[in-house]
Amino acid sequence: MFNQAILVGYLGHDPELRHSSGGRAVTTFSLATSESWVKDGERVTQTEWHRLVAWGKLAEICCQWLRKGSLILVRGQITYRNWEKDGQKRTSTEVVIQEMKMIGPAPKDEPPEDVPF
């Protein structure tokens, strides 16, 4: 079986770093991907939003170097979470990323050469 997602898009907001109860770093952020086509002579663009989650060292790197509007490529696994809040069942689809590459302009402070993106 194979569960792999590869996405290229722009960050919708700055990554948010927090720590699990066990002390492991985790960051979440959204990624916008777009598709365009011509319909009835007019260009139509459809944007999809993806919720991304990174753990450990990758979470710290994402939080340090990525900002809203950053263009990145990610590879990860699609996961589904279910929980109940206020008596209502909720669900969330996330991509738990295993690899991230910055492919757009870097922030003013560029990462050191040895940062393992």
Side-chain angles (χ1 to χ4, degrees), residues 4-18:
Q4 197 76 188
I6 298 172
L7 301 169
V8 175
Y10 293 95
L11 266 67
H13 61 83
D14 291 349
E16 302 166 12
L17 183 66
R18 53 185 205 285

Side-chain angles (χ1 to χ4, degrees), residues 44-99:
V44 177
T45 301
Q46 180 177 340
T47 301
E48 299 290 341
W49 288 94
H50 310 276
R51 179 178 166 86
L52 304 181
V53 180
W55 290 90
K57 184 66 175 171
L58 182 56
E60 294 171 4
I61 290 168
C62 288
C63 200
Q64 181 177 5
W65 296 108
L66 300 180
R67 296 292 174 262
K68 178 179 178 177
S70 295
L71 178 60
I72 63 169
L73 177 145
V74 294
R75 182 184 59 80
Q77 182 175 1
I78 300 168
T79 61
Y80 304 93
R81 290 190 308 120
N82 299 301
W83 71 96
E84 193 170 308
K85 182 177 180 180
D86 300 328
Q88 289 191 335
K89 291 184 179 182
R90 311 243 178 185
T91 185
S92 176
T93 303
E94 303 170 333
V95 177
V96 178
I97 63 172
Q98 297 145 344
E99 182 180 357

Side-chain angles (χ1 to χ4, degrees), residues 4-44:
Q4 197 76 188
I6 298 172
L7 301 169
V8 175
Y10 293 95
L11 266 67
H13 61 83
D14 291 349
E16 302 166 12
L17 183 66
R18 53 185 205 285
H19 290 83
S20 68
S21 58
R24 191 168 176 211
V26 58
T27 189
T28 58
F29 50 99
S30 60
L31 187 76
T33 58
S34 296
E35 177 181 9
S36 295
W37 64 92
V38 176
K39 180 179 180 182
D40 299 328
E42 291 188 37
R43 177 160 298 285
V44 177

